């Protein structure tokens, strides 16, 4: 894996290291390895030892599992995420493979040193627990998506979750096939869902950018079956 320059600022490092004490952060960064991946490059395979904690600085990482029927996209991580942090903290192999879905920059921290640092630094431990809880919540959201939302509702929910403001642009650097796999549909179904939302005036499509004029309206369109009818207007 080719290396990049070392990260320059604390804010760029994401919430995990930003929560650590300055001396803890400096000690971990002394042993950190910067990593740059082109789109489509494998970061590590499924069942690989979790020898490093990878912090995603820029780009997109897809997590997938390989079964008899082929690979399944489990989740898509973005800047600020810690890749398979639960496996690192437990000292277990990674249950998923990780691949760059866009040009990506990360830093790799030795797993043993991360565990030792977290045991001695309450801020770092709290941030690690928060990352694991957030990623657990994402898994629950996926179950809800697949069991209660149709394709259009899943696409609307995915886009709304990527937008933190009341309106704005959502960047989609990943291949549409990867997003479709994450949402449990075919690329053709995803295209139909996006164009249906656009025809309803809920978004505007511009290649890899999607403009959302009203996030609240998009969230209403994403409500699971039955929930939209039960909520007051």
């Amino acid at each position: 894996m080719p290396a990049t320059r070392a990260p320059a600022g604390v804010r760029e490092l994401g919430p995990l290291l930003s929560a650590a004490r300055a001396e803890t952060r400096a000690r971990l960064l002394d042993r950190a390895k910067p990593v740059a991946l082109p789109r489509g490059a494998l970061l590590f395979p499924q069942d690989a030892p979790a020898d490093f904690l990878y912090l995603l600085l820029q780009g997109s990482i897809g997590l997938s599992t390989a079964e008899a029927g082929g690979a399944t996209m489990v989740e898509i991580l973005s800047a600020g995420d810690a890749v398979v942090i639960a496996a690192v903290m437990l000292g277990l192999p990674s249950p998923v493979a990780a691949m760059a879905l866009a040009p990506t920059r990360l830093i790799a921290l030795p797993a043993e040193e991360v565990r030792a640092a977290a045991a001695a630094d309450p801020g770092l431990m709290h941030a690690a627990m928060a990352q694991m809880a957030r990623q657990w919540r994402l898994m629950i959201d996926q179950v809800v998506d697949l069991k209660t939302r149709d394709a259009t509702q899943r696409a609307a929910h995915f886009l709304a979750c990527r937008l933190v403001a009341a309106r704005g642009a959502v960047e989609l650097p990943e291949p549409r096939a990867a997003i479709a796999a994450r949402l449990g549909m075919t690329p053709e179904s995803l295209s139909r869902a996006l164009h249906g939302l656009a025809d309803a005036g809920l978004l505007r499509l511009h290649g890899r950018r999607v403009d959302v004029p009203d996030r609240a309206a998009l969230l209403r369109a994403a409500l699971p079956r039955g929930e939209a009818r039960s909520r007051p207007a």
Side-chain angles (χ1 to χ4, degrees), residues 1-169:
M1 294 177 290
T4 69
R5 63 177 177 82
V10 172
R11 285 180 300 176
E12 185 184 24
L13 298 174
L16 191 70
L17 287 186
S18 296
R21 292 194 294 256
E23 58 269 25
T24 302
R25 185 166 55 247
R27 187 163 59 250
L28 289 173
L29 289 176
D30 280 344
R31 298 294 306 278
K33 298 179 180 179
V35 176
L37 297 175
R39 185 192 307 271
L42 184 68
L43 180 60
F44 54 78
Q46 185 176 346
D47 296 323
D51 294 331
F52 292 92
L53 177 64
Y54 294 95
L55 303 183
L56 182 52
L57 305 181
Q58 184 181 49
S60 181
I61 290 287
L63 306 180
S64 64
T65 60
E67 307 297 340
T72 299
M73 185 67 64
V74 175
E75 188 52 88
I76 296 176
L77 303 181
S78 55
D81 284 323
V83 184
V84 293
I85 186 172
V88 169
M89 299 305 290
L90 292 171
L92 296 174
S94 171
V96 292
M99 176 179 290
L101 300 179
T104 296
R105 293 192 304 117
L106 314 97
I107 55 172
L109 307 174
E112 288 187 6
E113 297 196 17
V114 171
R115 289 192 291 269
D121 188 327
L124 180 59
M125 179 62 80
H126 184 271
M129 292 175 64
Q131 282 262 348
M132 288 187 283
R134 178 179 174 275
Q135 292 180 11
W136 171 83
R137 177 63 183 268
L138 289 174
M139 298 297 108
I140 298 299
D141 282 349
Q142 277 204 54
V143 174
V144 172
D145 262 1
L146 294 172
K147 287 184 174 291
T148 67
R149 292 185 172 100
D150 61 27
T152 299
Q153 291 166 334
R154 274 178 260 161
H157 186 245
F158 179 80
L159 292 171
C161 288
R162 286 207 165 182
L163 181 65
V164 296
R167 63 187 59 84

